[in-house]
Amino acid sequence: MKVVIIGGVAGGATAAARIRRLDEKAEIMVFEKSGFISYANCGLPYYIGGTIENEVDLTLQTPQSFYSRFRVDMRVYHEVISINPDSKTVTVKNLGTGEVFEESYDKLLISTGARPVKPPFDGIDSDRIFTLRTVEDTLKIKKYVTENKSKSAVIVGGGFIGIEVAENLHELGMNVTLVEAAQQLMSPFDSDMAAFIHAEIRKNGINLMLNTMVEGFADTESGINVKLKDKDTLNADMVVMAIGVAPDTALAKNAGLALGIKDSIVVNDRMETSHLDIYAVGDAVQIKNFVTDSDTLISLAGPANKQGRIAADNICGGDSRYTGGQGSSVIKIFDLTAASTGINERTAAQSGLAFDKVILSPMSHAGYYPGGKIMTMKVIFEKETYRILGAQIIGYDGVDKRIDVLAAAIRAGMKAYDLAELDLAYAPPYSSAKDPVNMAGYIIENIKNGVVKQWYYEDVDNLINDGGVTLLDARTQTEYSRGHIEGFINIPVDSLRERIGELDKNKPVYVMCQSGLRSYIASRILVGNGFDAYNFAGGFRFYDAVCNDKALNKKSTPCGMDD
């Protein structure tokens, strides 16, 4: 059997190694148009910033090492320029010599990945504008910054690459502006959770410009101008475009393969395309969202590696299936860690799902052990079934551990209230006896059993203007005096039983505290005394963060705040 693979990196290189492990006699050829067949995409920004010091560390395998281990014919600087399904051949150009030749195959695997999006703006072809997708891109940026002693940069796009490049250029001492057309960074997160990301970006001295459209570029003697819609033009030494990627599927399209979202390659759960003996994996393919079962694109290394393994199994006569992706991801943002899995509120609403959520602020480990830090956790679940739809966590320590537990829970089909039953490792330096994941489960269990009713950030404005309710802040008088929401009266939870007569039993009581715990206790006290009580999801800390972010974005005063 002769297998030809177009493209290396995550999907193609994984498939090549797996095919060899399954079939010692197979002839395997990989054509890669760049000079690198297996490299650490996700590490590229950190080489620019100097965290990864050695260029060699970016390369996971060389053609020589791959051949020595797996006897795979790895040909770099070879670009496949056409796929010919009828003759079962590919046409290849040797970029070094210019030679064009045909290579036959029994099985073909397409792993062409995605390409950075570059809109047709005026000046987009400037030598001062860069994208980041390959090792060559990284080396080009690094060389430019070093040789030109660049002092300023504009990053266009606030996704994974945009934020990581912004951070790493800032670490080099550069003045960095991050421009994003949307109202928030990091689209996998809901806007309320993204507020914490924005705060960290700003705290570290990056000029963050949200709701800002780029309209074009122009080279100047002093650098490059970035033209913005309805805002002053920016000038910088360089620009990095990071507004997203699109499937790189011109080969598949010209070969007549079925295409889907954004011209991605349509595959079944065996990673088979519409053409016999042609498979496709990675950022170039359309897959199923594991949570919604809808068609989607997920450009992450984890899914690409899994798909490469599955395609290899099936090429070798097996029957492996890809059950879809849920977009589990994590990113370092200076000292902050932000992670998500599954879908967010926006996607749940667009999918027509009836959902609820819990928001909590647990410590990363036992409070009595030094060094614990607060994280903000949001878990979204389906109302009737309590199926876990997604989760977002932002904090400093232990975020990656908890998101992985929740990602596994989604994959296992656990009910949201079953999170309370998980038997998770505990020692004071690492967790609490009630792990944050357990705590989310306890809250959801309470909701299911009618022990607690919630209200949310988006309800605040309506409630402030509703004279038929009581708004209660259960924090201490000192906390209340430092900042509270207008219209809330202050009765600390520890005084509530003695002062409960101050409240009108005929009015529902909407309770808030700093994190949600004391207000939950206050709610139970109120319910036990015949009141109709609702607990605020997230606490004043959460509310304050979201309001401050909105105020900065709109250049206005924080919503509903009274100092």
Side-chain angles (χ1 to χ4, degrees):
M1 177 177 65
K2 182 177 180 181
V3 182
V4 169
I5 298 174
I6 306 174
V9 199
T14 295
R18 177 69 172 172
I19 292 168
R20 172 58 71 228
R21 291 193 294 269
L22 296 176
D23 187 343
E24 182 63 20
K25 302 300 182 183
E27 181 183 357
I28 309 168
M29 300 182 69
V30 178
F31 294 113
E32 168 59 50
K33 65 182 178 182
S34 76
F36 301 84
I37 53 92
S38 181
Y39 56 88
N41 290 73
C42 300
L44 300 180
Y46 299 100
Y47 175 71
I48 294 172
T51 301
I52 298 174
E53 297 180 357
N54 196 333
E55 174 189 332
V56 175
D57 292 334
L58 295 173
T59 304
L60 304 178
Q61 291 276 5
T62 65
Q64 295 76 22
S65 67
F66 216 100
Y67 182 81
S68 298
R69 178 69 54 88
F70 298 110
R71 294 299 189 270
V72 170
D73 186 358
M74 288 282 188
R75 302 195 187 182
V76 294
Y77 300 118
H78 278 68
E79 181 179 6
V80 174
I81 55 178
S82 69
I83 299 170
N84 317 303
D86 293 339
S87 61
K88 297 187 77 169
T89 62
V90 294
T91 305
V92 186
K93 182 177 182 178
N94 184 326
L95 299 178
T97 66
E99 174 195 6
V100 176
F101 60 94
E102 288 198 348
E103 195 70 48
S104 64
Y105 65 83
D106 296 312
K107 305 284 186 182
L108 177 68
L109 175 64
I110 302 171
S111 180
T112 46
R115 66 184 187 281
V117 174
K118 290 184 70 175
F121 292 145
D122 289 342
I124 192 68
D125 294 324
S126 167
D127 291 338
R128 295 186 175 99
I129 298 177
F130 302 86
T131 58
L132 180 59
R133 187 68 179 174
T134 66
V135 173
E136 285 91 345
D137 294 336
T138 307
L139 300 180
K140 188 177 179 182
I141 293 172
K142 183 80 169 180
K143 181 180 179 182
Y144 184 89
V145 170
T146 302
E147 291 183 351
N148 292 277
K149 297 181 174 57
S150 301
K151 292 181 172 57
S152 61
V154 171
I155 313 301
V156 184
F160 289 95
I161 293 296
I163 290 175
E164 289 170 348
V165 171
E167 176 181 346
N168 278 277
L169 291 180
H170 180 272
E171 294 297 322
L172 293 177
M174 294 177 63
N175 181 16
V176 178
T177 297
L178 179 56
V179 177
E180 169 56 52
Q183 296 180 0
Q184 67 170 84
L185 303 177
M186 295 297 294
S187 61
F189 293 83
D190 289 312
S191 59
D192 50 10
M193 296 293 284
F196 295 93
I197 297 173
H198 301 163
E200 185 73 8
I201 293 283
R202 292 180 174 118
K203 184 181 80 174
N204 282 278
I206 288 179
N207 178 28
L208 178 58
M209 301 181 70
L210 301 173
N211 299 300
T212 302
M213 293 287 295
V214 172
E215 292 190 322
F217 305 94
D219 284 317
T220 69
E221 290 184 3
S222 60
I224 183 168
N225 281 342
V226 182
K227 302 173 186 177
L228 306 177
K229 183 178 181 180
D230 301 326
K231 294 185 180 179
D232 292 339
T233 296
L234 300 173
N235 181 266
D237 294 332
M238 60 183 294
V239 171
V240 178
M241 293 293 296
I243 62 173
V245 296
D248 191 356
T249 56
L251 283 173
K253 185 175 185 177
N254 292 335
L257 274 63
L259 302 179
I261 302 170
K262 294 183 179 179
D263 279 349
S264 57
I265 303 170
V266 174
V267 294
N268 61 17
D269 58 359
R270 288 170 48 85
M271 308 314 298
E272 295 170 324
T273 70
S274 59
H275 281 48
L276 184 66
D277 295 326
I278 300 180
Y279 298 75
V281 300
D283 295 355
V285 306
Q286 172 181 289
I287 63 171
K288 290 291 184 182
N289 184 300
F290 182 80
V291 176
T292 64
D293 199 39
S294 58
D295 293 329
T296 191
L297 302 176
I298 296 180
S299 297
L300 294 169
N305 275 282
K306 293 179 181 71
Q307 294 159 19
R309 179 184 175 91
I310 288 166
D313 288 351
N314 295 322
I315 285 171
C316 294
D319 187 24
S320 292
R321 307 277 173 162
Y322 185 65
T323 55
Q326 61 198 70
S328 300
S329 61
V330 63
I331 181 173
K332 173 187 175 295
I333 307 168
F334 293 98
D335 294 328
L336 197 71
T337 299
S340 69
T341 187
I343 62 174
N344 56 24
E345 285 191 66
R346 182 174 59 254
T347 303
Q350 292 170 349
S351 301
L353 294 168
F355 65 91
D356 203 349
K357 61 191 174 185
V358 295
I359 302 166
L360 58 157
S361 301
M363 293 286 285
S364 57
H365 62 243
Y368 60 83
Y369 188 89
K373 295 182 179 179
I374 292 176
M375 66 178 71
T376 303
M377 177 185 294
K378 183 177 194 177
V379 179
I380 303 165
F381 57 94
E382 198 168 24
K383 276 188 175 179
E384 296 298 323
T385 67
Y386 286 88
R387 178 169 65 107
I388 307 171
L389 301 176
Q392 302 158 48
I393 311 177
I394 297 178
Y396 296 93
D397 294 326
V399 170
D400 53 341
K401 169 183 174 179
R402 274 69 186 213
I403 205 70
D404 283 343
V405 172
L406 289 162
I410 291 173
R411 185 64 57 161
M414 291 178 60
K415 301 296 187 183
Y417 50 80
D418 287 334
L419 297 174
E421 300 301 320
L422 289 176
D423 192 350
L424 303 173
Y426 159 62
Y430 304 105
S431 183
S432 300
K434 296 177 182 177
D435 188 85
V437 174
N438 296 136
M439 291 301 300
Y442 293 141
I443 298 172
I444 296 167
E445 184 180 59
N446 281 339
I447 293 170
K448 172 179 175 291
N449 294 334
V451 174
V452 66
K453 293 186 288 187
Q454 296 191 114
W455 64 287
Y456 309 99
Y457 169 85
E458 51 268 29
D459 300 325
V460 172
D461 290 342
N462 288 335
L463 289 172
I464 289 175
N465 297 317
D466 186 347
V469 303
T470 298
L471 304 177
L472 175 64
D473 190 321
R475 295 177 298 158
T476 66
Q477 188 174 6
T478 300
E479 289 174 304
Y480 181 83
S481 67
R482 290 173 180 164
H484 58 270
I485 303 175
E486 184 180 358
F488 274 71
I489 62 173
N490 178 221
I491 302 178
V493 63
D494 293 339
S495 306
L496 182 56
R497 289 182 180 89
E498 289 74 27
R499 297 177 59 185
I500 205 163
E502 299 175 24
L503 304 177
D504 186 347
K505 195 173 282 190
N506 295 316
K507 292 182 178 181
V509 184
Y510 289 80
V511 194
M512 173 181 279
C513 72
Q514 190 69 12
S515 68
L517 176 58
R518 285 173 289 173
S519 53
Y520 164 63
I521 295 170
S523 297
R524 293 307 304 156
I525 292 171
L526 291 167
V527 170
N529 284 276
F531 286 80
D532 182 19
Y534 297 79
N535 186 32
F536 182 75
F540 184 82
R541 172 182 168 272
F542 178 79
Y543 176 86
D544 191 36
V546 178
C547 278
N548 285 331
D549 182 59
K550 286 193 172 186
L552 286 168
N553 293 342
K554 296 178 181 178
K555 307 299 183 184
S556 61
T557 55
C559 44
M561 296 290 289
D562 191 11
D563 293 321

